[in-house]
Amino acid sequence: METGSPLLVLIGLVLITFGQVMFMMRVGIEDERNEDYVFTARAKGLPEHEIRDRHVARNALAPAIAGSFLALPTILAGMVIIEFGLEVRGLSWAFFSAVETQDIPTIMGVLVVLGVIGIVLRVVADVVIAYLDPRQRHR
């Protein structure tokens, strides 16, 4: 009997990773605010919001995005725990039932799907970082 819903699983996954990504972004912004280009922009008289939005946030965003996509194993582990706790028949249910019955093709299929998802997310992260950081485009 199913007692949870996929929406609850999604909310749980978002809550698991949100704090980590926000922490990485905050630390990145604090580090970037002390860079020389920020002092130069202030000396030129640029408004503080423009320095923050166009310079500091853009440079701090790339590591935060990369870190959030690299947190995929943590997200998947959280998904397994949340699906099991909420008794949602999802990917973790298929994986564990295949392990119990020693269904090797299903186990390999689940692992391949997770691997493809990981590769796609890493490519998406690279494209987003290249879009946000012009230095990455010209390498």
Side-chain angles (χ1 to χ4, degrees):
M1 183 167 109
E2 187 173 323
T3 60
S5 74
L7 181 62
L8 288 176
V9 173
L10 180 64
I11 290 171
L13 290 175
V14 168
L15 291 176
I16 287 172
T17 58
F18 182 73
Q20 179 183 0
V21 173
M22 288 294 101
F23 178 74
M24 290 174 58
M25 188 67 184
R26 188 188 71 183
V27 168
I29 286 178
E30 288 175 5
D31 285 343
E32 290 293 323
R33 282 188 175 168
N34 297 325
E35 294 293 328
D36 290 338
Y37 70 89
V38 175
F39 294 126
T40 304
R42 285 187 182 125
K44 287 182 177 182
L46 288 175
E48 195 64 34
H49 69 86
E50 190 171 326
I51 295 170
R52 181 194 65 222
D53 295 343
R54 290 190 177 210
H55 300 289
V56 174
R58 266 196 146 168
N59 288 332
L61 196 57
I65 290 173
S68 65
F69 283 107
L70 292 177
L72 181 65
T74 306
I75 295 169
L76 295 176
M79 178 183 73
V80 169
I81 293 168
I82 291 170
E83 283 183 358
F84 182 77
L86 295 176
E87 298 178 5
V88 175
R89 289 183 157 219
L91 194 58
S92 66
W93 176 82
F95 182 73
F96 285 123
S97 65
V99 168
E100 287 176 359
T101 60
Q102 297 182 356
D103 184 8
I104 302 300
T106 303
I107 294 170
M108 293 300 294
V110 169
L111 293 176
V112 166
V113 166
L114 293 177
V116 168
I117 290 171
I119 291 170
V120 168
L121 287 177
R122 288 173 194 246
V123 169
V124 168
D126 286 342
V127 169
V128 169
I129 289 171
Y131 174 75
L132 293 175
D133 191 0
R135 296 173 296 180
Q136 300 294 324
R137 281 181 267 178
H138 299 297
R139 280 192 178 170

